[in-house]
């Protein structure tokens, strides 16, 4: 559990260079071993393992992960009463922010994210494609019902979810 006194240490075993990140937690290495990331006071930082440069990715971050190949950083951001999903392309540093986030689930092949959002009283299930860095398609919309329970099949070709009808 994170405490105000926790300190992360990152040391290169080849050259013995050590980096210290005070009051930091939730460390994660990218699958491609190019990046190291951590949270400090609800702010997400990205550390380039080759250049030792640190940069702020976002504030009010609640959780984050890397894509399967380490090309993208995906962070759940909370502002006021709303949640957003922030997707950062780690090659170009282009950023996509998806507001009104309710739920999301990665496809088993990690090339897509199924996302449930609520914007302007419209509930929507959409697919976001990492390769295109854009929404692929909207699967369902409804202003009377809510969607939940995203679940991919093992192949990543089929997606199931619930439609909850309001009384």
């Amino acid at each position: 559990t994170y405490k105000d006194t926790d300190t992360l240490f990152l040391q290169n075993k080849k050259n013995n260079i050590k980096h210290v990140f005070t009051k930091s937690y939730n460390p994660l290495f990218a699958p491609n071993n190019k990046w190291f990331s951590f949270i400090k006071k609800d702010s997400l930082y990205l550390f380039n393992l080759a250049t030792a440069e640190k940069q702020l990715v976002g504030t009010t971050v609640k959780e984050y992960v890397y894509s399967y190949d380490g090309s993208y950083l995906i962070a759940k951001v909370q502002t006021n009463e709303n949640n957003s999903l922030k997707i950062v392309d780690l090659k170009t540093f282009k950023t996509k922010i998806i507001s009104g986030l309710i739920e999301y689930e990665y496809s088993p092949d990690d090339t897509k994210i199924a996302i449930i959002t609520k914007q302007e009283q419209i509930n929507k299930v959409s697919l976001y494609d990492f390769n295109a860095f854009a929404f692929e398609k909207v699967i369902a919309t409804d202003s009377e019902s809510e969607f939940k329970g995203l679940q991919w099949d093992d192949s990543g070709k089929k997606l199931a979810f619930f439609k909850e009808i309001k009384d």
Side-chain angles (χ1 to χ4, degrees):
T1 307
Y2 164 69
K3 297 177 185 167
D4 283 342
T5 57
D6 285 351
T7 300
L8 290 175
F9 295 92
L10 177 65
Q11 184 168 345
N12 185 321
K13 291 178 77 175
K14 289 183 183 177
N15 60 20
N16 266 350
I17 294 176
K18 186 185 295 184
H19 302 279
V20 179
F21 308 104
T22 59
K23 298 182 181 180
S24 302
Y25 59 102
N26 202 8
L28 193 59
F29 285 97
N32 60 10
N33 292 315
K34 292 181 179 181
W35 305 99
F36 175 75
S37 51
F38 58 92
I39 295 177
K40 181 175 184 172
K41 295 184 180 178
D42 289 336
S43 295
L44 178 60
Y45 289 90
L46 190 61
F47 184 82
N48 186 316
L49 292 170
T51 65
E53 292 177 4
K54 180 178 86 169
Q55 65 188 77
L56 177 66
V57 175
T59 58
T60 63
V61 173
K62 298 303 168 197
E63 60 188 55
Y64 72 98
V65 296
Y66 289 97
S67 63
Y68 73 101
D69 63 355
S71 296
Y72 299 93
L73 183 69
I74 302 99
K76 182 179 176 183
V77 178
Q78 185 174 7
T79 52
N80 301 327
E81 298 296 317
N82 287 327
N83 287 322
S84 299
L85 201 62
K86 184 174 188 174
I87 303 171
V88 181
D89 182 330
L90 295 174
K91 292 177 187 152
T92 64
F93 285 93
K94 286 184 182 176
T95 300
K96 178 77 174 177
I97 296 176
I98 301 162
S99 59
L101 178 71
I102 303 296
E103 184 180 332
Y104 63 101
E105 185 71 30
Y106 301 97
S107 64
D109 63 1
D110 288 320
T111 60
K112 295 178 177 54
I113 304 176
I115 302 170
I116 298 174
T117 57
K118 183 175 185 175
Q119 298 169 339
E120 299 175 9
Q121 302 304 313
I122 303 292
N123 297 295
K124 187 171 14 177
V125 179
S126 307
L127 286 183
Y128 187 87
D129 185 342
F130 283 124
N131 297 326
F133 202 63
F135 280 104
E136 180 179 294
K137 67 171 94 174
V138 174
I139 297 172
T141 60
D142 200 313
S143 60
E144 303 291 318
S145 304
E146 294 179 354
F147 302 111
K148 64 181 181 177
L150 294 168
Q151 183 66 49
W152 289 94
D153 77 328
D154 289 340
S155 71
K157 304 249 186 267
K158 297 175 186 135
L159 178 70
F161 54 91
F162 293 100
K163 179 178 178 179
E164 189 174 80
I165 299 170
K166 298 176 187 175
D167 291 332

